[in-house]
Amino acid sequence: MAILKTLVSLAATAMVVQLAMAATHSVGGANGGWDTSTDVETWVASQKFSVGDNLRFQYTPNHDVLEVTKADYDSCQTSSPLKTYSDGNTLVPLTSPGKRYFICGTLGHCSQGMKIEINTLATSPSTPPPASPAPKTSPSPAKSASGSPSSPHLPPTQSPSVTPSVSPSPAKTPESAPVSPSPADVTSTESSETASSPHGPPSSPANRNRFQRCLTFGFGLVPVVLLAL
């Protein structure tokens, strides 16, 4: 129903616009008319005729208006007109595009120039097409029917990097690792060597020095004793 009302409204508007824009052309112009003294062919060449316009023929009783075919127009033949007008003030509507031909039926007037060829152009405003209804928009898939927002977008989780495990180097066994002796062990070792040695001088540096001084003193006394004897 709404579309029908729209179409009717558009058609009525187009008719009003067409009637307002329609022009009425007085044959011969403001200073002429439908007679032998007016150059009606030159007047036609200066006009533009459109569908919806009107032709007005104003003439005296010794003239009339005949609408004829192209062949009768060229030969000024008045015996078989399409239409005949003789009221002195003829209004001819131009309802369709194309060419139409008019002559005066009085003998000799057509050959004297009372003939016009009207070319009607289809330039009248046409009825615009009805506006199509706007398509319905479907709800966005981002929201559900209840209007709840979609779940937030979670960033992709990164897998933990695997740190290569370094296997511990094998511990050195007591056989392969040299063990430095502690000072207590050195002292006990020297004491045991001194006790187990068959010869008496202790192996410590101080004892060796005393022993050497004693030997030197003993050897020094030997010549003295020998000289005394």
Side-chain angles (χ1 to χ4, degrees):
M1 183 61 69
I3 296 177
L4 181 59
K5 289 182 179 180
T6 303
L7 290 176
V8 171
S9 176
L10 291 174
T13 303
M15 291 178 63
V16 171
V17 172
Q18 183 174 358
L19 290 175
M21 296 182 63
T24 298
H25 304 271
S26 295
V27 178
N31 300 322
W34 185 240
D35 52 47
T36 55
S37 63
T38 302
D39 188 359
V40 291
E41 292 184 0
T42 302
W43 172 82
V44 168
S46 65
Q47 304 295 310
K48 178 182 287 186
F49 305 96
S50 302
V51 172
D53 291 352
N54 298 296
L55 279 179
R56 185 179 296 277
F57 293 86
Q58 293 177 320
Y59 48 93
T60 59
N62 61 326
H63 301 294
D64 59 6
V65 178
L66 304 181
E67 184 172 0
V68 296
T69 62
K70 174 71 164 84
D72 290 347
Y73 173 84
D74 292 337
S75 62
C76 288
Q77 179 59 252
T78 62
S79 60
S80 55
L82 299 176
K83 291 181 180 180
T84 301
Y85 306 95
S86 59
D87 57 359
N89 188 14
T90 302
L91 188 68
V92 179
L94 304 177
T95 57
S96 60
K99 293 184 177 182
R100 298 173 72 174
Y101 305 93
F102 301 92
I103 64 174
C104 180
T106 302
L107 183 61
H109 287 184
C110 176
S111 59
Q112 293 177 18
M114 289 187 66
K115 56 187 294 187
I116 58 174
E117 176 184 340
I118 304 299
N119 185 18
T120 305
L121 304 177
T123 57
S124 61
S126 59
T127 303
S132 58
K136 296 181 179 180
T137 57
S138 58
S140 174
K143 292 187 178 181
S144 61
S146 60
S148 59
S150 60
S151 59
H153 177 69
L154 297 177
T157 57
Q158 296 182 352
S159 59
S161 58
V162 179
T163 304
S165 58
V166 180
S167 59
S169 58
K172 295 183 179 181
T173 58
E175 292 79 9
S176 61
V179 179
S180 59
S182 61
D185 294 338
V186 173
T187 305
S188 60
T189 303
E190 290 179 353
S191 300
S192 61
E193 288 179 355
T194 305
S196 60
S197 174
H199 308 288
S203 60
S204 63
N207 293 332
R208 289 195 185 102
N209 292 333
R210 286 195 297 269
F211 181 71
Q212 291 177 357
R213 285 195 299 269
C214 290
L215 287 178
T216 304
F217 181 74
F219 284 119
L221 291 177
V222 170
V224 174
V225 172
L226 293 178
L227 290 176
L229 295 178

